[in-house]
Amino acid sequence: MQINRRDFVKLLGGSLIGFAAGGVGEALLKIPNSVKPILYAGPRVETWKLTTCTKCPGGCGLRIRMIDDFPIQAFGNPLSPINEGGVCPIGLTSIESLYHPDRLTSPMKKVNGEFQKISYSEAYGILSQGLKQNMGSAKDGKAAFVAQTESDFMANLIREFMSGMGSDKVEIDNFSANSAMPYNRITDGRPDFINFGTCDFILNFGAQFTEISESPLYFTRAINEFKAKKNEFITFSPKLTPSAYKAKRWIPIAPEYYEDAALGISYVILKDETYDKAFVQKQFKDFDAFKELILQDYSPAAVESRTGVAAEDIVTIARKFSGASSPVAYFDESILYSSNGIRNAFAVIALNGLKGFAGYGKLKGQELPDFESGKETDKSKQAWNKNMLLGDNDVKLLMLYKNNFLFNSPNSEELRKALAGIPLVVSFSPFLDETSELANLIIPDHDDLEKLDAIALTVTGSPTISTQQPIVKPFYSTVHTGDVLVSLVGDLKLSPKWAYKNYEDYLQTYLKPVYNHGKGMLMNQKKPTELEKSLHQAGWQLASYSSFDEFWEQMLRYGGWWDPFPKVSEYKPTLTLDKNNLIADDNSGSQNVEPKGDSLRLNIFVKDLDYKGDMARNPVLTEQFGLDSNIYYDTWVEINSATATKLSISDRSKVRIKTAKGSFKAVALHNPAVMLTNIDVPFGLGHTVQGKTFGINPLSYSDNVFDEATGTPSFSETIAMIERAGDGI
């Protein structure tokens, strides 16, 4: 297809220049001088390239529309088994970050408090020298690394790098790994997937399947098909989210009481003796002690008194759960966002154990790369997290990779002071944010459309590797962070067996076993037929490539690899659980932060798709979630209509919210999806970088409450007051 210059500019304008923020008044488009001749050179040819979206954990396949190798639009890849051609708003707007005017265009160092552009060689020299000065030999912890990545390959490289540095001060924010961590603590591995082929009942503890999950588009299809079979889906959560709306029933509950609800359900199952006796006898260690604890403290009446969930509902749900042939009690990373998050997760795992984890599946064989360094070795030890920087004078060098933890933490001021005491802070962020602006050195990473990576997934029940190929050459003087780390390990001789030349070499090494076992197929053809399945079982190989180089080239070109005929088994782990996993050290049980009088619970909620609170960088997405209320960049607070009436707060009135940390202004919106005892404030506004501040960050006003094991901040345990205010607030 050929288009003329005018049509091309018009098309580009419709896709990008129109992405103007309603309250901001600026277009989010920057085209580097090096590619402007392409834009204005005349008639152009349309082509397409395939890659993977890494804006969330989903790993959806994308088809990128190109005009003379110039990315214009993004669509879903119909041959990806993850999204099957579907695409969410994040995927649709994924090219926007490539042209974003706030992108960092070169390495920078801070001189007299201001950033100055420098060459990559100078930046690499500063980092290399800093690492040499702080290389450890016995876990002395002079260096620390805080990262956010959904790529297990990149996460593994960071761990290997830090191991070579002699430091275990590593925190990697990875949705799948965070979700798996509680299982890894008390079982011998997490289930790979919900077996939707047999599962007939889902009890969901706070997960937003269709908005923020391991695979929102896959779960959207799977949940719809699950419901079409007349199967039941019940959600416990503090807010009626779009995902909870899909459930047959929503049970309003504060997140810190998930544990009580799960153990109350366990009580009924234990009393009725409808649990899987064969499983608990063989696989559930310390079962008798667990049973004694539950029968002593978690009767439905006791649970109702603590949580507000009716005892009758606990009994009804328990009997539906135990009566199902293949039930699932589900949680993901979101369960950790409370003071007892890890114990909440343990309680849900125990509930699954009472039914032998019947609704889950496990892949047989090792078709995906195995990352030994990512596994927990000491389950009794609390993992290092960013909050441990407080009071730690040993850290002399801190590295940051796409983790804006100052914005995502209620104790940001304390952390800011801690960073100020670290001699060298290095960021690899492609944007300035609240955390990276405190760095001494920035070596910005490529945009997603400029870089190489991969995401391994099992959530669909089939082992899948979605590949991210560079769609365009880097626009600016940015560097793949993986290449930087690979070079540093080699140059500093951090690993005696290190033989990788760059990140592509590293990635290829981990993917060669996938080529060697010869299973599965590339994402270049439709789902195999039953005849092809029979041929495959007889030894016929679905894919056609004669060498690893050919396999690698095709894997990038077609967006990945998957096995449509995996060997699966039941998930039957050994479950080791004692009362110390369920009871706090002070035996206080769940946190007691129930509001009294006219006070309410401040519940911070994550807007649809706003994975880590950075959606404000994308006005299209920001404005998408204000369509009903026409409020985009001002902070709003959602309040149940009955609660609002009691407090004489009218819809769209101006209010002030007060907490122990101060007060902020907001617009009140009546919403029946809010608990009677809560006021809900969205997370994601309130960024303060580069003088562009819209709304407030509610974490700045929430109490410094964290999950006891992971350091994850609580989003729901702050007491607040709401009051009417006049026009002058």
Side-chain angles (χ1 to χ4, degrees):
M1 169 186 173
Q2 290 191 335
I3 63 174
N4 60 38
R5 181 167 64 95
R6 178 178 295 177
D7 290 338
F8 176 59
V9 174
K10 182 178 179 181
L11 176 62
L12 184 63
S15 299
L16 296 169
I17 298 175
F19 284 0
V24 183
E26 61 176 319
L28 296 182
L29 174 64
K30 177 170 66 176
I31 301 175
N33 292 331
S34 60
V35 300
K36 283 183 179 178
I38 301 174
L39 176 60
Y40 297 108
R44 293 302 171 196
V45 178
E46 177 188 61
T47 56
W48 297 80
K49 286 187 178 180
L50 301 179
T51 189
T52 293
C53 179
T54 58
K55 302 295 186 186
C56 89
C60 292
L62 292 180
R63 295 174 71 234
I64 306 296
R65 188 183 183 199
M66 317 281 289
I67 304 296
D68 262 10
D69 296 327
F70 203 81
I72 296 297
Q73 291 171 295
F75 301 87
N77 178 3
L79 297 183
S80 167
I82 303 296
N83 53 314
E84 295 185 354
V87 62
C88 75
I90 288 181
L92 281 172
T93 61
S94 58
I95 62 172
E96 181 184 346
S97 61
L98 179 68
Y99 304 101
H100 203 290
D102 290 342
R103 277 189 66 188
L104 300 178
T105 60
S106 73
M108 300 189 297
K109 70 175 180 180
K110 191 170 285 181
V111 179
N112 297 325
E114 299 291 333
F115 281 115
Q116 294 182 359
K117 290 185 178 182
I118 59 175
S119 68
Y120 172 66
S121 60
E122 181 180 354
Y124 185 84
I126 295 172
L127 176 55
S128 178
Q129 185 61 33
L131 290 167
K132 286 179 182 178
Q133 294 172 356
N134 294 288
M135 286 173 62
S137 58
K139 305 291 183 185
D140 58 12
K142 291 183 180 179
F145 208 127
V146 181
Q148 180 198 331
T149 175
E150 299 310 323
S151 167
D152 289 329
F153 302 92
M154 189 65 189
N156 195 67
L157 173 60
I158 291 171
R159 292 190 186 99
E160 289 192 63
F161 170 76
M162 290 301 290
S163 177
M165 283 295 300
S167 175
D168 58 4
K169 293 180 178 179
V170 184
E171 179 182 355
I172 297 179
D173 190 1
N174 176 290
F175 194 97
S176 179
N178 293 343
S179 301
M181 182 271 293
Y183 277 96
N184 294 336
R185 292 283 182 94
I186 61 173
T187 70
D188 43 12
R190 185 197 187 195
D192 287 324
F193 58 94
I194 296 176
N195 190 345
F196 280 103
T198 62
C199 179
D200 54 352
F201 185 87
I202 295 177
L203 187 57
N204 172 34
F205 289 84
Q208 292 180 252
F209 282 107
T210 60
E211 307 99 75
I212 303 171
S213 67
E214 285 187 82
S215 187
L217 289 180
Y218 167 72
F219 274 129
T220 297
R221 296 196 315 274
I223 293 294
N224 288 341
E225 293 170 3
F226 178 84
K227 291 174 61 180
K229 297 176 183 177
K230 308 301 181 183
N231 293 321
E232 194 162 351
F233 171 30
I234 294 175
T235 288
F236 286 99
S237 68
K239 187 179 184 66
L240 185 60
T241 63
S243 180
Y245 185 76
K246 286 180 173 289
K248 182 176 182 179
R249 188 169 181 200
W250 168 50
I251 308 293
I253 185 174
E256 59 268 30
Y257 294 130
Y258 290 158
E259 176 185 10
D260 294 89
L263 297 181
I265 293 168
S266 296
Y267 176 100
V268 177
I269 295 172
L270 290 169
K271 271 288 190 180
D272 290 349
E273 295 191 354
T274 52
Y275 54 89
D276 186 333
K277 296 179 176 61
F279 177 86
V280 300
Q281 182 178 5
K282 184 179 180 181
Q283 305 291 117
F284 200 142
K285 307 299 181 183
D286 299 319
F287 173 72
D288 290 339
F290 168 77
K291 181 178 180 180
E292 180 182 1
L293 172 67
I294 302 310
L295 294 183
Q296 177 179 325
D297 295 331
Y298 291 92
S299 69
V303 169
E304 178 178 2
S305 68
R306 290 196 288 266
T307 69
V309 178
E312 179 182 353
D313 289 336
I314 294 291
V315 173
T316 299
I317 292 170
R319 289 178 174 157
K320 287 183 177 181
F321 187 85
S322 64
S325 63
S326 188
V328 159
Y330 187 82
F331 69 86
D332 61 19
E333 178 198 71
S334 62
I335 203 169
L336 300 175
Y337 283 82
S338 65
S339 60
N340 60 331
I342 190 73
R343 289 186 283 120
N344 285 337
F346 290 156
V348 178
I349 294 171
L351 175 57
N352 278 311
L354 293 182
K355 290 297 291 181
F357 297 91
Y360 289 102
K362 192 75 177 174
L363 296 174
K364 294 176 68 174
Q366 188 58 48
E367 296 187 32
L368 294 176
D370 189 23
F371 302 108
E372 289 293 336
S373 62
K375 297 179 180 178
E376 292 198 40
T377 54
D378 186 354
K379 296 184 178 183
S380 64
K381 182 180 179 181
Q382 181 181 6
W384 187 87
N385 65 73
K386 54 190 171 291
N387 284 335
M388 295 179 182
L389 288 169
L390 302 178
D392 185 350
N393 296 320
D394 292 332
V395 175
K396 304 302 180 184
L397 190 156
L398 173 65
M399 287 160 282
L400 308 168
Y401 180 70
K402 296 186 176 182
N403 192 312
N404 187 9
F405 64 77
L406 286 186
F407 183 78
N408 296 325
S409 302
N411 59 339
S412 60
E413 289 307 311
E414 292 92 332
L415 287 169
R416 184 183 297 273
K417 292 176 183 177
L419 262 65
I422 299 174
L424 181 57
V425 177
V426 181
S427 171
F428 300 101
S429 173
F431 291 92
L432 273 182
D433 56 38
E434 284 79 5
T435 309
S436 63
E437 70 177 349
L438 299 183
N440 310 102
L441 177 70
I442 300 179
I443 306 176
D445 196 15
H446 294 324
D447 181 76
D448 288 349
L449 294 183
E450 300 169 331
K451 67 188 296 186
L452 177 74
D453 214 332
I455 294 181
L457 299 139
T458 64
V459 66
T460 66
S462 293
T464 305
I465 298 173
S466 295
T467 51
Q468 182 184 45
Q469 69 163 317
I471 297 299
V472 293
K473 293 181 179 180
F475 280 180
Y476 306 112
S477 299
T478 55
V479 186
H480 195 311
T481 304
D483 288 336
V484 178
L485 298 182
V486 168
S487 295
L488 287 168
V489 175
D491 292 346
L492 300 179
K493 297 180 173 52
L494 300 181
S495 175
K497 297 181 180 180
W498 199 256
Y500 309 113
K501 295 179 284 224
N502 50 37
Y503 187 68
E504 181 174 16
D505 192 22
Y506 182 86
L507 201 56
Q508 286 181 348
T509 300
Y510 274 92
L511 291 176
K512 278 180 181 175
V514 179
Y515 164 76
N516 291 334
H517 63 53
K519 300 176 184 177
M521 58 184 283
L522 298 167
M523 295 180 190
N524 62 344
Q525 54 186 302
K526 294 181 180 179
K527 191 176 295 185
T529 64
E530 286 300 314
L531 174 60
E532 289 172 318
K533 180 178 180 179
S534 299
L535 291 171
H536 175 71
Q537 292 171 340
W540 180 61
Q541 187 171 324
L542 295 173
S544 58
Y545 34 77
S546 58
S547 66
F548 176 76
D549 288 342
E550 186 178 354
F551 167 77
W552 175 252
E553 185 274 329
Q554 291 187 31
M555 195 175 184
L556 293 180
R557 185 198 311 171
Y558 297 123
W561 166 97
W562 69 298
D563 187 352
F565 308 128
K567 291 183 178 180
V568 301
S569 64
E570 295 179 326
Y571 171 68
K572 297 295 181 184
T574 298
L575 173 57
T576 304
L577 186 73
D578 59 44
K579 68 177 184 180
N580 293 327
N581 295 126
L582 299 172
I583 302 298
D585 292 339
D586 60 1
N587 294 317
S588 62
S590 299
Q591 297 295 306
N592 184 16
V593 293
E594 286 303 312
K596 296 178 175 61
D598 287 341
S599 64
L600 296 165
R601 183 193 302 266
L602 174 64
N603 180 57
I604 300 171
F605 70 93
V606 180
K607 302 187 298 296
D608 297 3
L609 308 173
D610 197 357
Y611 176 42
K612 291 296 179 183
D614 58 3
M615 190 183 289
R617 194 176 287 133
N618 187 329
V620 172
L621 297 181
T622 300
E623 296 178 14
Q624 173 183 341
F625 302 108
L627 292 179
D628 291 337
S629 57
N630 294 322
I631 299 174
Y632 312 117
Y633 301 101
D634 291 328
T635 297
W636 72 89
V637 54
E638 299 178 14
I639 184 170
N640 190 284
S641 301
T643 305
T645 299
K646 175 185 173 183
L647 298 175
S648 301
I649 294 174
S650 58
D651 188 37
R652 294 180 175 272
S653 62
K654 296 180 179 180
V655 295
R656 183 177 292 277
I657 310 298
K658 295 181 179 180
T659 72
K661 282 189 175 180
S663 65
F664 60 90
K665 309 169 188 177
V667 176
L669 301 177
H670 291 189
N671 188 346
V674 177
M675 289 177 61
L676 291 170
T677 56
N678 286 5
I679 48 174
D680 291 2
V681 177
F683 178 62
L685 296 176
H687 287 279
T688 58
V689 178
Q690 297 179 325
K692 303 172 184 178
T693 303
F694 308 98
I696 62 95
N697 180 359
L699 277 176
S700 300
Y701 297 88
S702 68
D703 295 340
N704 293 355
V705 179
F706 305 89
D707 174 52
E708 58 201 25
T710 65
T712 306
S714 172
F715 274 21
S716 60
E717 295 174 78
T718 296
I719 298 300
M721 297 290 292
I722 182 171
E723 62 182 27
R724 293 177 298 167
D727 293 336
I729 67 168

